[in-house]
C-alpha cells in the first residue's frame, strides 16, 4: 500500500499520485489539526516545509464534518508565481494601495475558481466564466485568470494603476448573480477551496510580498462573509516566510490574522502518526503480529508506544557516544518535529533492516546509522529552505560561523561567531541578522532547563514556537542534534539536548 518505503513516501504529493482515492486509507485520522483546520473560523494554516500542509489539504476532500464537499484544491503555486508578480508590479507603489488593489484581484481569482467548479450546475454561473479552463491543473487556471485580468490594467507609461475597467469587471452584476447561484448550491453541498502558496519567497520582492499579504487579508474578509454560508477558503502559508509577512507587509495584522493554525507537532502526536503508518504497512504486507491486530488504542500514546514502537525499535539504545537512552526520544530529538523528517529517518532505518534481513525489527546499529545518514540530507534541506530569504550563501554563512562550536555555550559566543561569517553575507551582515538566521533555521536554541552539570538539557527552538525566538548574549544556548555532524560540533560530557518537552524519569 505504501510502496517500497515501510513508513510511506516523504512527499505527500507522491503518495496521492500513487494511491489516488485510497490515500485516505493511510491518512492518520487522529491528527491534532484535523478538526481545527476544518472549523469555520479557520482560514489560514501555517507550517514549515515538511510539517504536513499538503497532507492536511488532502484531508479536506474526504473529511466527514462537512460531508460530500465540492473540493477545489490549488497546489503547485510556482506555476502562477510569475504572472502574479507581473500583476503585482502593475499596482500602486504605495503598499496600502497595492494590497487594496490586489485584494480585488484575489477576489476575482477565488470566485473564478468556484465558478469553474460549478459551471455545469448553473447557466448563470456558466455565463460568468470568462476564462476557459483548459488542460492542466488549477494552478494553470489561476495563471490564466490573472493573465486575463492583466488586460484590464491601464497602459500608462508607468503601468502603476488599476484602471476603472477592472473595478467594473469585479463588481459586474452578472458576477453578483453567479455568486448568489453558488451560495444556493453551497446550501446543499459545502464548498471548500484549499489554496497553497510557495514554500520559498524572495522577501525583497516587494510586489510578490504585497500579493501574498493581499491574499491573507482577502481570506480573512472572505471567511467572515461566506463561512456561515458554507463556502470555506483555506490558505496554506509557509512558516519560513509568514513572520516576514506578518511583521513587515500586512497592513493590519491583528485584523487579518484570526484563529491561525500553526502545524506544531507534539511528541505524542508524531509517535501515533509514524506508528500508524508502520502499522498499515505491516498490515498490508501480512507482517502484523496477531496480538496487536485491531487492538491498538490510537488515542493513547502509551498504548501505541508499548504495542507498536517498542516491539520493533526496542525500548532503549546505546547512542554513538556510548550513552543509554530510550529509542523514541533518541530518534525524535534528531528531527525538528516534522512528519517528513521523521518519515525520512525511519525509512532509512527500515531500509537498512531490509538489506540485513532483520525487518520488521531494527537493531541499535541500524537505528544510529540510519539517523546519521538522514541528518545530512535533512539539515541541507533546512538550509536550502532559507536561501531565498537570506542569501544563496546560507550554508556557507552557517558553516563559517558555527563550525566546531561547542554543543552548549553562552549567547555572547554568537556575536563572536557572527564576525567569522561576515565575508559570506551579501552585504546585509550584522550580528543581529546572524543570531536571527541561526534561530530561524532551528540550529541554535535557548536552554530552558538544565546546565553543564545535568544529563539532559531542555531547550526551546523557534520552529516549535508560533513566534520568534530572540536570542541574546544573556541566554544559555545549545546546538540542535540534527546539526552535530554537519557542523562538527564539539561535545562536552554526556549531556543530551532535548529539543522538546517530554516525560522522563530522573535517574
Amino acid at each position: 500500500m505504501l510502496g517500497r518505503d515501510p513508513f510511506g513516501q516523504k512527499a505527500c504529493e507522491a503518495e496521492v499520485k500513487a494511491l489516488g482515492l485510497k490515500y485516505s486509507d493511510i491518512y492518520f485520522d487522529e491528527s491534532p489539526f484535523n478538526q481545527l483546520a476544518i472549523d469555520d473560523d479557520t482560514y489560514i494554516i501555517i507550517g514549515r516545509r515538511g510539517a504536513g500542509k499538503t497532507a492536511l489539504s488532502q484531508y479536506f476532500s474526504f473529511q466527514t464534518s462537512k460531508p460530500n464537499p465540492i473540493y477545489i484544491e490549488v497546489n503547485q503555486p510556482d506555476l502562477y508565481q510569475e504572472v502574479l508578480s507581473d500583476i503585482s508590479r502593475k499596482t500602486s507603489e504605495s503598499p496600502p494601495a497595492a494590497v487594496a488593489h490586489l485584494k480585488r484581484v484575489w477576489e476575482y481569482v477565488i470566485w473564478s475558481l468556484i465558478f469553474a467548479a460549478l459551471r455545469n450546475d448553473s447557466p448563470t454561473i456558466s455565463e460568468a466564466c470568462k476564462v476557459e479552463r483548459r488542460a492542466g491543473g488549477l494552478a494553470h487556471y489561476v495563471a490564466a485568470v490573472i493573465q486575463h485580468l492583466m488586460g484590464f490594467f491601464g497602459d500608462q507609461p508607468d503601468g502603476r494603476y488599476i484602471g476603472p475597467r477592472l473595478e467594473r469587471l469585479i463588481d459586474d452584476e452578472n458576477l453578483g448573480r453567479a455568486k448568489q447561484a453558488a451560495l444556493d448550491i453551497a446550501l446543499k453541498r459545502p464548498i471548500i477551496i484549499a489554496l497553497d502558496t510557495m514554500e520559498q519567497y524572495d522577501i525583497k520582492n516587494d510586489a510578490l510580498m504585497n500579493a501574498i499579504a493581499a491574499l491573507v487579508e482577502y481570506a480573512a474578509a472572505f471567511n467572515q462573509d461566506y463561512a456561515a454560508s458554507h463556502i470555506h477558503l483555506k490558505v496554506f502559508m509557509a512558516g519560513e516566510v509568514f513572520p516576514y509577512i506578518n511583521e513587515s507587509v500586512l497592513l493590519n495584522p491583528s485584523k487579518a490574522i484570526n484563529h491561525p493554525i500553526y502545524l506544531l507537532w507534539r511528541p505524542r502526536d508524531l509517535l501515533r502518526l509514524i506508528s500508524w503508518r508502520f502499522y498499515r504497512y505491516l498490515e498490508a504486507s501480512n507482517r502484523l503480529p496477531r496480538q496487536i491486530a485491531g487492538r491498538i488504542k490510537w488515542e493513547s500514546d502509551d498504548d501505541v508506544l508499548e504495542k507498536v514502537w517498542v516491539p520493533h525499535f526496542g525500548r532503549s539504545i546505546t547512542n554513538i557516544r556510548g550513552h543509554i537512552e530510550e529509542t523514541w526520544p533518541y530518534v525524535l530529538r534528531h528531527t525538528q518535529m516534522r512528519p517528513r523528517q521523521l518519515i525520512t529517518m525511519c525509512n532509512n532505518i527500515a531500509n537498512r533492516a531490509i538489506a540485513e534481513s532483520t525487518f520488521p525489527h531494527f537493531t541499535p546499529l541500524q537505528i544510529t546509522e540510519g539517523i546519521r545518514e538522514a541528518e545530512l540530507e535533512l539539515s541541507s534541506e533546512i538550509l536550502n529552505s532559507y536561501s531565498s530569504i537570506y542569501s544563496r550563501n546560507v550554508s556557507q554563512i552557517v558553516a563559517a560561523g558555527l563550525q566546531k562550536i561547542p554543543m552548549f555555550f553562552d549567547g555572547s559566543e554568537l556575536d563572536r561567531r557572527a564576525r567569522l561569517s561576515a565575508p559570506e553575507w551579501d552585504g546585509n551582515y550584522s550580528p543581529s541578522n546572524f543570531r536571527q538566521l541561526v534561530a530561524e533555521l532551528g540550529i541554535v536554541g535557548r536552554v530552558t532547563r538544565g546546565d553543564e552539570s545535568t544529563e539532559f538539557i531542555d531547550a526551546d527552538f523557534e520552529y516549535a514556537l508560533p513566534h520568534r525566538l530572540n536570542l541574546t548574549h544573556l541566554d544559555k544556548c545549545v546546538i540542535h542534534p540534527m546539526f552535530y555532524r554537519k557542523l562538527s560540533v564539539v561535545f562536552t560530557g554526556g549531556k543530551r539536548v532535548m529539543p522538546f518537552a517530554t516525560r522522563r524519569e530522573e535517574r
Side-chain angles (χ1 to χ4, degrees), residues 69-99:
I70 297 169
Y71 181 56
I72 304 168
E73 180 190 17
V74 184
N75 49 28
Q76 296 181 292
D78 54 306
L79 296 179
Y80 60 82
Q81 180 180 358
E82 184 176 349
V83 290
L84 183 60
S85 296
D86 288 342
I87 202 168
S88 301
R89 281 190 286 268
K90 286 185 174 293
T91 58
S92 170
E93 291 182 340
S94 164
V99 170

Side-chain angles (χ1 to χ4, degrees), residues 25 135 144 155 196 309 326 357 419 425 461 466:
D25 293 342
D155 55 1
D196 199 3
W309 181 268
E326 295 180 8
S357 301
R419 292 192 291 273
W425 289 77
F461 286 83

Side-chain angles (χ1 to χ4, degrees), residues 92-109:
S92 170
E93 291 182 340
S94 164
V99 170
H101 291 153
L102 289 164
K103 284 168 67 176
R104 301 308 307 273
V105 170
W106 282 114
E107 180 181 354
Y108 191 80
V109 168

Side-chain angles (χ1 to χ4, degrees), residues 10 48-49 200 240 333-338 340-342 344-345 348 370-387 391-399 402-403 437-438 440-444 463 479-489:
K10 58 185 178 181
R48 294 195 178 198
R49 182 182 296 185
Q200 287 202 50
E240 292 85 352
R333 71 185 181 88
H334 289 85
T335 75
Q336 290 190 338
M337 306 290 286
R338 305 182 212 172
R340 184 189 300 176
Q341 296 170 347
L342 186 57
T344 298
M345 284 195 169
N348 275 9
I371 289 175
R372 279 174 57 83
E373 178 186 358
E375 282 174 346
L376 292 180
E377 174 189 347
L378 295 175
S379 58
S380 296
E381 181 182 61
I382 292 167
L383 293 173
N384 177 62
S385 68
Y386 278 84
S387 61
S391 163
R392 293 184 179 180
N393 298 333
V394 165
S395 292
Q396 293 92 321
I397 292 170
V398 170
L402 298 182
Q403 199 71 23
L437 169 64
V438 297
E440 279 192 63
L441 288 166
I443 298 175
V444 178
Y463 62 79
I479 299 295
H480 193 285
M482 182 189 289
F483 291 88
Y484 287 171
R485 188 178 180 194
K486 193 172 191 67
L487 299 176
S488 302
V489 167

